[in-house]
Amino acid sequence: MGAPEKFACAVALAVFAGGAIGLILQRLLPDEFTTGGPRDMIGAVVGLLTLLSALVLGLLIWTAFGVYAGQNLAVQTLAAKVLQLDLALTDYGPEASGGRALLRQELAKTLDAIWNANLSDSEFAAHNLAAAISNLRHQDGLLRSLGPSTDDEKQALASARQTINSIGQSRLQMSFALYGAVSYPLVYVVVGWGVALFCGFGLMSKGNAMSVVALVFGALAVASAIYLILDLSSPYSGLFRTSPAPLQQVLAQMSQGQGAVGGSR
């Protein structure tokens, strides 16, 4: 069980405990504390907490989905730029075949290190940052070893150099976007609202089996919302993972192009 699942389970227990405390207090307190004017006040506060919780939970889920969608878009953009770099090296000529082979190997390593290894998002960010710096150095060193003699080669080399810098920036942005993706203090506040809210529900209801069942379903609903927030904010681990399909398609295309070049020779 990962961190989001454990945190969601803790939230479910906390919310259920809040509702159970409300049911117990409803039985222990005298009727004048839970009927008439006090009941109206409890209902008003419960309504306020319901509105606040719904608004902030919706905002947090939307923000978390933005992180997930942004990483998906970043992977697609990275795949397009890698393919663009491969095409630029192809246009340069046979002298850049070493660079194409290195690019293909680095892409395969990236796919294996991110999607075939169970990395946390903090580990992914650190790994991706180091890999981005390493790739920039290796590819830039290889391009410096090339000596263009024609205008077409110079143009292809300039395009490749520009694309390498763009790839490095994209990978760095992918890493930086994961830092602080979830505001845990805000999540704690919302969970606190949920506990108080269900305590109010308990104060306004009768303690019977149906109330307990409804309380269980409500606690699971709040926990599932918190789980969505945490899991969508961790797009390289958990249930909602960023798809590697764009990079896999580019790798397959590069492998086919390398085979075609080798066969033509």
Side-chain angles (χ1 to χ4, degrees):
M1 184 181 293
E5 290 84 356
K6 293 179 180 178
F7 193 89
C9 289
V11 169
L13 291 175
V15 173
F16 180 83
I21 290 172
L23 290 174
I24 293 172
L25 290 176
Q26 198 277 335
R27 285 194 171 189
L28 295 179
L29 293 174
D31 289 343
E32 58 265 22
F33 285 92
T34 57
T35 58
R39 182 181 178 87
D40 294 338
M41 177 59 70
I42 293 172
V45 174
V46 165
L48 175 63
L49 288 176
T50 301
L51 178 61
L52 289 174
S53 299
L55 288 175
V56 179
L57 274 177
L59 176 62
L60 287 174
I61 292 175
W62 179 252
T63 303
F65 181 77
V67 174
Y68 173 77
Q71 290 295 316
N72 268 315
L73 179 60
V75 170
Q76 296 169 7
T77 303
L78 179 62
K81 291 179 179 179
V82 170
L83 182 58
Q84 182 181 354
L85 175 58
D86 183 67
L87 293 176
L89 294 175
T90 302
D91 292 339
Y92 186 91
E95 294 81 1
S97 58
R100 295 188 63 206
L102 178 61
L103 179 63
R104 191 169 62 255
Q105 292 172 4
E106 293 293 343
L107 180 56
K109 289 180 181 178
T110 298
L111 286 168
D112 185 66
I114 296 176
W115 281 275
N116 293 334
N118 191 17
L119 297 177
S120 66
D121 275 38
S122 59
E123 291 173 336
F124 162 79
H127 176 273
N128 195 48
L129 180 63
I133 296 174
S134 176
N135 288 348
L136 280 173
R137 288 177 175 174
H138 290 167
Q139 293 288 350
D140 189 61
L142 186 137
L143 293 185
R144 288 180 180 177
S145 66
L146 298 176
S149 57
T150 65
D151 291 339
D152 291 339
E153 289 180 347
K154 292 179 181 178
Q155 184 176 359
L157 183 60
S159 177
R161 196 180 302 278
Q162 181 180 1
T163 306
I164 286 177
N165 293 332
S166 181
I167 290 174
Q169 292 175 2
S170 296
R171 296 196 65 171
L172 292 176
Q173 289 173 356
M174 288 171 65
S175 299
F176 295 152
L178 296 177
Y179 290 110
V182 179
S183 175
Y184 277 94
L186 184 55
V187 172
Y188 294 146
V189 169
V190 175
V191 172
W193 288 349
V195 173
L197 175 62
F198 275 74
C199 184
F201 287 152
L203 284 171
M204 297 177 63
S205 62
K206 297 295 182 180
N208 53 44
M210 196 61 205
S211 297
V212 175
V213 171
L215 180 59
V216 169
F217 276 100
L220 291 176
V222 175
S224 64
I226 298 298
Y227 174 76
L228 284 176
I229 294 169
L230 298 180
D231 202 71
L232 286 172
S233 300
S234 303
Y236 297 98
S237 60
L239 181 61
F240 300 96
R241 299 192 69 185
T242 302
S243 174
L247 293 175
Q248 290 173 341
Q249 292 176 355
V250 168
L251 180 60
Q253 179 66 32
M254 292 167 60
S255 299
Q256 291 176 1
Q258 186 70 17
V261 172
S264 64
R265 292 179 186 177

